[in-house]
Amino acid sequence: MLQALRARHDHPTAETLYHALRPTYPNISLGTVYRNLALLEQVGEIQRLPGQDSPDRYDGITAAHDHLRCRACGGVDDLPDMGAVVDLGRAREIAARQNVAVEGCRIVFEGLCKNCT
Amino acid sequence: MLQALRARHDHPTAETLYHALRPTYPNISLGTVYRNLALLEQVGEIQRLPGQDSPDRYDGITAAHDHLRCRACGGVDDLPDMGAVVDLGRAREIAARQNVAVEGCRIVFEGLCKNCT
DNA sequence: TTCGGTGCAAATTTTTTGCATCTAC
DNA sequence: GTAGATGCAAAAAATTTGCACCGAA
């Protein structure tokens, strides 16, 4: 199942993944998909992206990377190589002044994806 | 209602806001709260933050600012003054190389809030 | 009297859970 | 057998919608 998710480069919803899995595992149930996704998320193997006006999406790529939510089609794409854009060290510093501990950050860019431009 | 939301500095869920509104508008219904929040969001007066493992939260502050989701209490705090941390211009540049148009971005830091540190 | 907004309840949508079963050891 | 994972269906949680009604213009 982890393989099935990693094989894709989009960020399927649980239901999408479920349908993608059906041909290979004809009897798999949606409940199981959710269960396993939740499990993999806890173990840190995958990431769960809360959806804006759409079901949550799952991301099988563990390496740090950011996302683009397309305002036209609603899909979520990867945006690798954006590392230089955010200075996390500086973020920690600034946050510390407010007695807040920053451990990580999640960035979702908004705009138009390749297909919708 | 917009006032009611702006009066708070936290980022209430629809239900929280509903309960906060009850004393003043004893007969207001949850449906109406959702309806008006959706409306205000469309008009751009407020922002809706998809919740990670919790109901969506609403933010009455229109000025650009980032958020911290506390991994201990699950709450969402404002993190103003983080402007220097992200270079949006650069983000646009990098994204453009991939034929993607970046219009804005939403950053959610993760860590521990004031109270939970 | 008309119209937009509202309360209320029912419906939808998304996700989780209980429970009987089934498989691999 | 036993333990853990699964299918299925029902439940729960969050949000949206339909509809009748009410108050301001």
Side-chain angles (χ1 to χ4, degrees):
Chain A
M1 166 133 176
L2 186 54
Q3 296 169 10
L5 181 54
R6 294 230 166 115
R8 330 183 34 138
H9 248 204
D10 59 342
H11 301 74
T13 64
E15 186 139 10
T16 307
L17 195 56
Y18 165 65
H19 282 119
L21 249 28
R22 286 303 292 255
T24 317
Y25 308 92
N27 286 347
I28 200 173
S29 77
L30 188 54
T32 300
V33 172
Y34 272 108
R35 259 187 296 230
N36 288 348
L37 286 173
L39 217 99
L40 288 170
E41 190 205 357
Q42 280 182 15
V43 182
E45 291 292 331
I46 65 175
Q47 220 190 343
R48 177 192 198 157
L49 310 165
Q52 182 101 343
D53 270 331
S54 79
D56 291 358
R57 288 155 180 284
Y58 293 86
D59 186 345
I61 299 176
T62 48
H65 66 284
D66 303 318
H67 295 111
L68 174 91
R69 186 182 313 276
C70 175
R71 75 166 149 78
C73 68
V76 174
D77 273 10
D78 282 334
L79 274 185
D81 309 324
M82 302 291 271
V85 171
V86 177
D87 186 343
L88 193 53
R90 191 158 179 186
R92 285 212 189 82
E93 240 176 69
I94 299 177
R97 278 183 222 142
Q98 306 174 39
N99 292 320
V100 165
V102 162
E103 296 170 346
C105 79
R106 174 167 310 198
I107 309 187
V108 179
F109 292 91
E110 281 157 25
L112 294 173
C113 73
K114 279 186 185 65
N115 302 327
C116 298
T117 314
Chain B
M1 168 134 176
L2 186 53
Q3 296 169 11
L5 181 54
R6 295 230 165 116
R8 329 184 35 139
H9 249 205
D10 58 346
H11 302 73
T13 64
E15 185 139 12
T16 306
L17 195 57
Y18 165 65
H19 281 119
L21 249 28
R22 288 300 295 250
T24 317
Y25 308 91
N27 287 349
I28 200 174
S29 78
L30 188 53
T32 301
V33 172
Y34 273 108
R35 259 187 297 231
N36 288 348
L37 286 173
L39 217 98
L40 287 171
E41 190 205 358
Q42 279 182 15
V43 183
E45 290 292 331
I46 65 176
Q47 218 189 344
R48 177 192 199 156
L49 310 165
Q52 181 101 341
D53 269 332
S54 78
D56 291 359
R57 289 155 180 284
Y58 293 87
D59 186 345
I61 299 175
T62 47
H65 66 284
D66 303 317
H67 294 110
L68 175 91
R69 185 181 314 277
C70 176
R71 74 166 150 79
C73 69
V76 174
D77 273 11
D78 281 335
L79 275 185
D81 309 325
M82 302 290 272
V85 170
V86 177
D87 186 342
L88 193 52
R90 191 158 182 187
R92 285 212 189 81
E93 241 177 68
I94 299 178
R97 278 182 222 142
Q98 307 174 38
N99 291 320
V100 164
V102 162
E103 296 170 346
C105 79
R106 174 168 311 199
I107 309 188
V108 179
F109 293 92
E110 281 158 23
L112 294 172
C113 72
K114 280 186 183 66
N115 302 326
C116 297
T117 315

